[in-house]
Amino acid sequence: MKYTGATTQLSLVFATILLTTGIRRLLYNYLLRIPPVTDDVAYDHLLSTSLIAFSAGLVSIFLVNLAGIRAIFVFYVLTNILSAASAVTTYTLGKSAFHKIAMYITTIGYDLDRAATLVVVLAYPGERWKARVLAIFLLIEYFAITLGDIIALVDPGSAQSRFRGAIAFLCLSCLALVPALAIAPSENVVRSDGVYLVSPKTTVLTELRQTAKMFTNKYMLLLLPYMFSYPLLFGSAEVNFPNVTAIILYDGGKMFIVFMSQMLDVQWAGRRTRSYVGMATLVVFFVVSISITAALRIIDYDLTGLDVSWPRPQIEAFVMGAVMNQRYAMLMTSYFFAGAASSFIELFGYWVMGTLTNDFKSTARFVGTYHSAMALGGLLGYQLTNNTEHAAYTTNIPMYVAIALTI
């Protein structure tokens, strides 16, 4: 394999991701005893980190092209090392102030890195491999999140064992510098179909002009509400995971992107036909998912013993318990289809984006714009339902609005 070949460069990127995002998501809940609330890493339910994610997405529109891929990956590794060091100091000093500061910085690094990674996995493979390479990248995140959440729920461990885990986390984060520094500049890379990437030098003014020009592309304008609506739906639906089975089913559903990626990449028909079949598959899973979710919310449950004066978290926990006792199979089924639908939506959206252009810098602008739209959707979804007085699995107007937008 050539050093500047797409396979070598993608391997270096994936090694970096495994030693940073993968390890962090795998161990973080376990190390700091953070219970799993949501396992989607594209956006956060906290206003501050959601704003940071949105801002980082906007910055990435220009920064990926101006700073280069390697600089962004190295910066993310350094922020990940800072995050790992903050976990160690939390155990050593018993104070979390350093950890809180580190988390904000790591959020910036993560969102810039995710944009850069998506640019690489869309620009480096040839057309026949775009969806499958993207699926591999997403599966790394899904598997790490699933295992991390299960560990956090099943094996609390001792403070001493978690401290040793934090030390291992720090060492692995430092090791990630090796593949990150080995990543070649994009202008030296040869795509998997033998075509050299064209990546001329650019300026801030050029990036501003080209970004504004993007909004004349009708396909780009059609994709914007698509990429905005499903994070809005996910955030407003307040997806919680009551047990390990729900986590496994949700992420098990996400594994079906392997089949979706094969459907989109394998040359069994023209690209337009494959996109239609892919969209039809996505719609079926999405309709089934929202139908089950809507049914769960309109069913009358036996809530004997509920006290409306309880704090909201206690009320929602009580309602969740009633749902699990009275409609357990339906609830678990909803997690499977929700996981499959959400992964299909993300994979299909980015695959379509990758078909719009083979130009590296144009891909970077597309990804940054869509990443910002996703972060904004997640931010609004969570904030619209944050501290509102509605019971879980009953009235949720923002969720129904988000469903309509997604459709």
Side-chain angles (χ1 to χ4, degrees), residues 348-372:
F348 186 80
Y350 280 114
W351 177 78
V352 171
M353 188 190 314
T355 65
L356 295 180
T357 179
N358 284 323
D359 178 72
F360 181 87
K361 294 193 180 300
S362 296
T363 301
R365 299 180 194 111
F366 276 122
V367 168
T369 303
Y370 293 130
H371 196 64
S372 300

Side-chain angles (χ1 to χ4, degrees), residues 80-143:
N80 215 67
I81 293 172
L82 183 66
S83 174
S86 73
V88 174
T89 57
T90 299
Y91 283 104
T92 305
L93 304 177
K95 297 179 180 179
S96 60
F98 176 41
H99 164 66
K100 292 179 180 178
I101 295 172
M103 282 307 300
Y104 286 120
I105 298 174
T106 305
T107 299
I108 297 173
Y110 168 74
D111 284 286
L112 291 176
D113 167 82
R114 197 166 199 268
T117 302
L118 287 167
V119 172
V120 169
V121 300
L122 290 176
Y124 286 9
E127 182 182 344
R128 295 186 178 186
W129 285 93
K130 286 184 185 290
R132 281 174 283 187
V133 174
L134 178 59
I136 292 171
F137 159 68
L138 293 174
L139 286 173
I140 291 173
E141 291 189 335
Y142 297 159
F143 273 121

